[in-house]
Amino acid sequence: ATSHTMAPTMPLDKTIPRALNDAQISLATHKKCAKMLASARHDDPETFLPVFCNAILPVLLEYKRDLCTERVVRFIVTFCAWREEGMEEDADEFNEAFLGFLLNLHTAKDKAIRFRACQIIAGVLNGLGPDAEVSDELYERMTDVMLERIRDKMPPVRAQAARALSRLQDGGESDDFSQDDITQAFVELLGSEKNKEVRKAILGSLAISDFTIPCVVERTRDVAEDVRRIAFLALTSKVPVESVSIAHRALVLRRGLSDRAPMVRSASVEMLKRWLDAFQGDVIKFLTALAVEFNENEAELALRELIAIGRVKPMEVCKDEDMVRKGLKRDTEADGLMSAEEALYWRVVMQHLADASNAMGSNSAQSVGQAREIAAAEVGEMIEAMECALPPTAMDLLALVQSHATTSGGKFAARQLLPLLKCVDLNDGAIRRGAMHLVAEQLRVAPSVDARGSSYACGGDGEWERALIEIARLVANGSTEFAGIILDAADSLQMLNTAESLTQALFIAGTLLEQTQKRLPSIAAEAVMDSLIKPAVTHATTAVRRESMRVLGLLVASQGVINPEAVVILRTALSADAAPVRCMAARALGDAALLHGLAALDQHRVLVNSEDEDVSESDFNASLPLETAFMKCLDEEGKPFAFKADAYDLEDVNVEDVDATKAAAAVEAEESVGTVAAESLCKIILRRGEGAFEAAASVVARLLGSYFAADAQRRPRLAQCLAVFFPALASAPEDRRRLLADCALPALRAAAKVKGLSRVAALLVQLLTAGEGATTNGAELALALANESLALSTKQTPTGAQGTLAKAYINGVARVLSLIPVKSAKDELNVAEKVELNDVLTKAWHAAVLAAERTNEKAAAKDLACVAERLRSHCVATPKPPAAVEGEPDETAAYAALDVPMDDDDLSTQLNDDVREAVMEYARELANSNEVPFTGSKVKDAKVKTAPAVPTRESRSRASKTKASEKLVDDDLRKPLPKVTPTRESTRSRRGALRETN
């Protein structure tokens, strides 16, 4: 189309199409064309609407979003929003009628019409100015229609309907949109919508208020990168930082700055800049808004990002005399103690300079020439800046730390300042003795509750104690002195003879075992065992017993040898104690099994006579093998393959609880023994392989059942563990991958009588086909699955609900069998192994053919026929044996043992009678046993149907061609068709139908 000069007197049926044609060429013509159409509308308003509606019908029929169509749609929106001075009433009347015309099309069967109608309505509504008027009747009608279209089956229609509803939301009397039907629909669909484009549209259209902010925050962990980016952009542009709660501020910062997608992380950085600007660039005020005492990690992450983007410059900060005087060189008597925000700020700034100077120093050592001199100069500037910020002497810095540590409410600031001791010279004996004195004094303090930093035994996080022990490790003259200081403090706390003090003493001893790099001396280890652990094991307080299990596990792991007494104590606690104690005992036993193996630990269990009536259940459980004990712990959590819903109902989701998953995981780690047992089993399987278990395949199958039974909301730790474990096992070495093939059939059998078998089969196929090439033990698995299918076909299928499950099991087994890759006997180089593999493949394809003949399920019969042909192709014919060489073994007998499948048309005629009888006999025995679901000796045998032979692919193709040629001869040559000229039925085009409808 070309541009035309349109005169005002030109008829509308030519003016409007030419304007639409010109609009396709460029966006620059839209303003001119809109002005011309507005003039034509003003001259003849009654005729303009029907002509305009008929002219845009081709646009409504175009579903593909090509450039020309999108330009026309944009021009239509521009024209409808055009309000020239003196023609406002004409524009409002036209929009009222035009929108009504588009609303009439919302029930059209054609998806293109529904999509374009919603798209134009959304564009017009969002393009109208604030002075435009819409009648109440049209407003209500648009609301009802778009609320219906937002649940359309086509995602593009839903997205455009969401955009159309953006300006129709009503805040109500409370002005928080909580009572608005549109906002409530948006909130509901954000959690259930599967298409990311629709979620983006809803998120961009959602009205921002106190009611909807938690929903926007929740989308910052959406699975789609685009949706997460839109959520952060909405928080940046629409939500002021004052409207976001402290918990939500910390949450979105943690998610955004830790996101792996660059586009999402960039959007979160823009949000961080906007929030800092809201506090006039004052970093301390910004940190105060994050409540650093409760969100330390998030505040540190944000501060380091501000340093990375240049909003905080450590070199300038350290050289600013005013800031330094109020910071690390402050007079505590005149200026008071540092706030938590100031302490965190200075700690991050100084650590950044220290890390940067160390990295730059390493680079300068490897550089030469001028680059080395430049790097050395930069290191010197950094060290000079640090010296400007630090107190004059190391003792002054230690005094600053001590003044905060000995003051109520100052432990958080003291903990932030403690790492700065690493920035000063610790070779001086005075500073070392002072630091040791500070550590010993603080560790001996009785446990207490403090709003700004309680002791570990009183509900604290233990970070203060860990920081003290870390400093002690740095200043101690050796591991012996280091262990002596910590154990002396633990003994002092134990003498207080309270549950809190004993818990604190055990925690300090456990932290020592975590941080020490060498094995404790035998005398110290015996002292810990006799004076701390043994009295705590039988203590009445659960917290004390739990901490004793933790220290005992660390002691066993750090010493490197098995302590029989420790194993007995841990097994006894695992069998009968409170849930937190059992969890810690299971974790300790799992770590010990990683180092020494399950069999080594089982040698030290106390055996009992199960037939003795005096033996309690706890003693019997303590005598079980550790593998069995862990499996019993898994059974306590529920039945395997008890499939859960993918998500909660919306009524159960509390969007205000921003740490719901984190809190659930923390509770699960302390209360769920099954979760800890599953984690231990997963680590042992990946670390030690099949040889660590008596029945490794059963363990993996049971873990697979727990994977499907785990509720991701209530048991996120278990769900996350198993979701990582199975892909890791699929990519592990061959001896580990073999377990997946070995557990496939037991897992399918365990899930047979539960709805959802198809999900189990799909996951097994995904895991078995994850690697390149054939599946490890694929031939053995194929034979087992083929025998399973044949055994199922020999018995009658039950009816009712059991019949539905049985059919699903038959189809699932056949589906897995048809998709697993199997190694061909032709690729095996070793002759003996080739004979063995060929024998397995031969039996497998015999069983598959017989099962395909007998089964009543069409899908299963099709899969079995395909796999039978594939397995037969993997077998090898008898090659010519090599000439015997004197002095070497004769391999003629081995070659003679290879089976030779005949190259007939049907697979059924290729079966070897001896192999057939052997396979059928084994299948009958299997069907009469209780191993195969839905079978057994009490189930009647299936009637043997006279089914046609299972054809090969070539014979099927040849038979179809023959049948078609015979039909052609019979129908077309022997029976000539009558000479009748067919008449074409009249059909109406979609455009004509639309014209008549409107």
Side-chain angles (χ1 to χ4, degrees), residues 139 168-173 175-183:
Y139 178 90
L168 301 180
Q169 300 174 83
D170 185 9
E173 297 179 358
D175 201 29
D176 63 351
F177 299 90
S178 60
Q179 303 300 323
D180 183 60
D181 294 338
I182 299 175
T183 307

Side-chain angles (χ1 to χ4, degrees), residues 700-718:
V700 178
R702 182 62 182 83
L703 290 173
L704 189 66
S706 298
Y707 170 74
F708 284 101
D711 191 336
Q713 276 84 13
R714 292 184 174 87
R715 300 181 66 188
R717 191 180 179 95
L718 177 61

Side-chain angles (χ1 to χ4, degrees), residues 427-742:
N427 292 323
D428 186 21
I431 185 64
R432 297 169 73 90
R433 288 191 298 271
M436 294 293 287
H437 176 73
L438 173 64
V439 170
E441 181 183 2
Q442 290 298 317
L443 289 179
R444 284 182 168 86
V445 174
S448 60
V449 178
D450 190 343
R452 296 190 172 184
S454 301
S455 301
Y456 173 81
C458 297
D461 55 6
E463 293 299 328
W464 170 241
E465 291 84 355
R466 291 189 180 95
L468 290 171
I469 295 175
E470 173 65 19
I471 293 298
R473 187 180 65 83
L474 291 176
V475 300
N477 291 325
S479 59
T480 303
E481 182 182 2
F482 170 52
I485 294 173
I486 306 304
L487 294 179
D488 288 345
D491 291 338
S492 299
L493 288 171
Q494 186 186 13
M495 293 179 183
L496 299 177
N497 201 20
T498 62
E500 291 77 11
S501 61
L502 184 54
T503 303
Q504 187 79 2
L506 288 166
F507 175 74
I508 291 174
T511 307
L512 166 66
L513 294 171
E514 287 178 342
Q515 295 194 7
T516 186
Q517 298 177 353
K518 296 182 179 180
R519 183 185 305 178
L520 284 182
S522 58
I523 298 177
E526 292 176 2
V528 171
M529 186 73 178
D530 295 335
S531 62
L532 285 177
I533 297 176
K534 287 183 179 180
V537 167
T538 57
H539 200 276
T541 307
T542 302
V544 176
R545 298 199 305 275
R546 175 197 173 278
E547 204 61 35
S548 68
M549 293 298 110
R550 170 178 171 270
V551 178
L552 185 57
L554 289 171
L555 185 64
V556 171
S558 64
Q559 294 305 105
V561 294
I562 299 178
N563 187 336
E565 187 178 9
V567 174
V568 172
I569 293 174
L570 292 172
R571 290 300 308 273
T572 304
L574 177 63
S575 61
D577 210 322
V581 183
R582 296 182 63 201
C583 287
M584 195 56 68
R587 189 171 288 112
L589 287 170
D591 293 341
L594 274 177
L595 296 174
H596 308 290
L598 293 170
L601 297 181
D602 287 338
Q603 293 178 359
H604 303 286
R605 58 192 171 102
V606 178
L607 300 177
V608 296
N609 186 3
S610 58
E611 299 179 357
D612 191 353
E613 297 179 356
D614 296 334
V615 176
S616 62
E617 183 180 359
S618 60
D619 293 338
F620 175 73
N621 292 335
S623 66
L624 293 173
L626 190 54
E627 176 183 341
T628 308
F630 280 154
M631 296 286 281
K632 288 194 68 174
C633 293
L634 281 177
D635 295 335
E636 293 177 8
E637 301 298 328
K639 297 180 179 179
F641 298 104
F643 295 93
K644 302 293 183 183
D646 293 336
Y648 283 140
D649 294 334
L650 291 173
E651 298 177 356
D652 298 332
V653 178
N654 183 10
V655 294
E656 292 289 347
D657 189 1
V658 296
D659 284 331
T661 304
K662 183 178 179 180
V667 172
E668 183 185 4
E670 295 295 330
E671 300 290 340
S672 177
V673 187
T675 297
V676 179
E679 292 175 351
S680 300
L681 290 172
C682 291
K683 290 187 288 187
I684 295 171
I685 290 172
L686 292 176
R687 176 69 180 272
R688 305 188 72 89
E690 182 180 4
F693 299 91
E694 295 182 0
S698 300
V699 175
V700 178
R702 182 62 182 83
L703 290 173
L704 189 66
S706 298
Y707 170 74
F708 284 101
D711 191 336
Q713 276 84 13
R714 292 184 174 87
R715 300 181 66 188
R717 191 180 179 95
L718 177 61
Q720 177 71 15
C721 170
L722 296 178
V724 174
F725 165 71
F726 284 107
L729 184 62
S731 59
E734 183 177 350
D735 58 333
R736 271 73 161 174
R737 290 201 311 270
R738 186 183 296 113
L739 294 174
L740 289 173
D742 295 343

Side-chain angles (χ1 to χ4, degrees), residues 271-499:
M271 180 192 68
L272 177 62
K273 294 178 182 178
R274 180 69 63 90
W275 285 6
L276 183 62
D277 294 338
F279 295 97
Q280 292 77 41
D282 192 332
V283 181
I284 301 299
K285 291 182 179 179
F286 170 70
L287 293 177
T288 305
L290 292 178
V292 297
E293 295 179 359
F294 304 99
N295 303 297
E296 179 185 351
N297 295 331
E298 290 80 2
E300 181 179 351
L301 186 63
L303 186 53
R304 291 190 181 277
E305 186 63 33
L306 290 175
I307 294 174
I309 62 178
R311 296 298 292 269
V312 175
K313 300 179 180 179
M315 297 279 288
E316 297 180 2
V317 169
C318 292
K319 294 180 179 180
D320 190 333
E321 296 182 359
D322 186 49
M323 292 189 66
V324 171
R325 184 180 58 81
K326 297 178 181 179
L328 298 177
K329 292 185 178 181
R330 69 192 302 144
D331 185 358
T332 55
E333 295 182 357
D335 300 332
L337 300 178
M338 299 177 68
S339 65
E341 294 77 20
E342 292 173 333
L344 175 68
Y345 177 76
W346 281 106
R347 193 258 297 174
V348 174
V349 167
M350 298 301 293
Q351 282 186 342
H352 173 79
L353 285 176
D355 296 340
S357 63
N358 291 334
M360 190 67 69
S362 301
N363 292 336
S364 65
Q366 299 175 0
S367 303
V368 293
Q370 188 176 5
R372 182 172 186 173
E373 294 180 1
I374 294 175
E378 291 180 355
V379 172
E381 290 181 1
M382 293 179 184
I383 295 176
E384 182 182 355
M386 293 173 63
E387 291 177 351
C388 293
L390 288 171
T393 63
M395 292 302 296
D396 294 334
L397 178 60
L398 184 61
L400 181 64
V401 175
Q402 190 166 9
S403 63
H404 286 81
T406 55
T407 305
S408 177
K411 283 188 177 179
F412 181 86
R415 180 163 64 82
Q416 301 301 317
L417 297 175
L418 264 180
L420 299 184
L421 291 174
K422 301 177 184 178
C423 300
V424 299
D425 186 11
L426 294 177
N427 292 323
D428 186 21
I431 185 64
R432 297 169 73 90
R433 288 191 298 271
M436 294 293 287
H437 176 73
L438 173 64
V439 170
E441 181 183 2
Q442 290 298 317
L443 289 179
R444 284 182 168 86
V445 174
S448 60
V449 178
D450 190 343
R452 296 190 172 184
S454 301
S455 301
Y456 173 81
C458 297
D461 55 6
E463 293 299 328
W464 170 241
E465 291 84 355
R466 291 189 180 95
L468 290 171
I469 295 175
E470 173 65 19
I471 293 298
R473 187 180 65 83
L474 291 176
V475 300
N477 291 325
S479 59
T480 303
E481 182 182 2
F482 170 52
I485 294 173
I486 306 304
L487 294 179
D488 288 345
D491 291 338
S492 299
L493 288 171
Q494 186 186 13
M495 293 179 183
L496 299 177
N497 201 20
T498 62

Side-chain angles (χ1 to χ4, degrees), residues 6-21 33-56 75 79 94:
M6 294 177 289
T9 58
M10 186 179 296
L12 289 177
D13 56 352
K14 294 184 178 180
T15 303
I16 296 176
R18 287 189 176 182
L20 296 177
N21 258 358
C33 295
K35 186 180 295 186
M36 187 65 70
L37 288 186
S39 177
R41 180 183 62 194
H42 180 71
D43 295 338
D44 192 0
E46 295 182 358
T47 312
F48 184 83
L49 178 63
V51 176
F52 184 79
C53 293
N54 286 328
I56 67 170
F75 167 70
F79 168 65
F94 171 77

Side-chain angles (χ1 to χ4, degrees), residues 137-201:
E137 181 182 355
L138 181 61
Y139 178 90
E140 294 177 358
R141 188 182 176 199
M142 282 192 298
T143 301
D144 296 338
V145 169
M146 291 298 108
L147 281 176
E148 183 179 351
R149 286 304 102 210
I150 204 174
R151 289 176 171 82
D152 195 277
K153 64 180 181 179
M154 300 305 298
V157 180
R158 298 198 299 270
Q160 296 302 329
R163 292 182 59 241
L165 290 169
S166 176
R167 293 185 66 177
L168 301 180
Q169 300 174 83
D170 185 9
E173 297 179 358
S174 58
D175 201 29
D176 63 351
F177 299 90
S178 60
Q179 303 300 323
D180 183 60
D181 294 338
I182 299 175
T183 307
Q184 290 180 354
F186 281 168
V187 172
E188 177 184 349
L189 291 173
L190 269 179
S192 59
E193 177 58 53
K194 296 182 179 180
N195 187 273
K196 68 174 184 177
E197 298 298 331
V198 181
R199 294 199 303 274
K200 285 171 57 179

Side-chain angles (χ1 to χ4, degrees), residues 83-104:
R83 294 172 60 83
E84 198 166 340
E85 186 176 357
M87 300 182 183
E88 291 85 353
E89 294 183 2
D90 294 343
D92 292 340
E93 292 177 1
F94 171 77
N95 289 335
E96 188 97 4
F98 182 60
L99 290 176
F101 160 75
L102 293 175
L103 291 175
N104 290 335

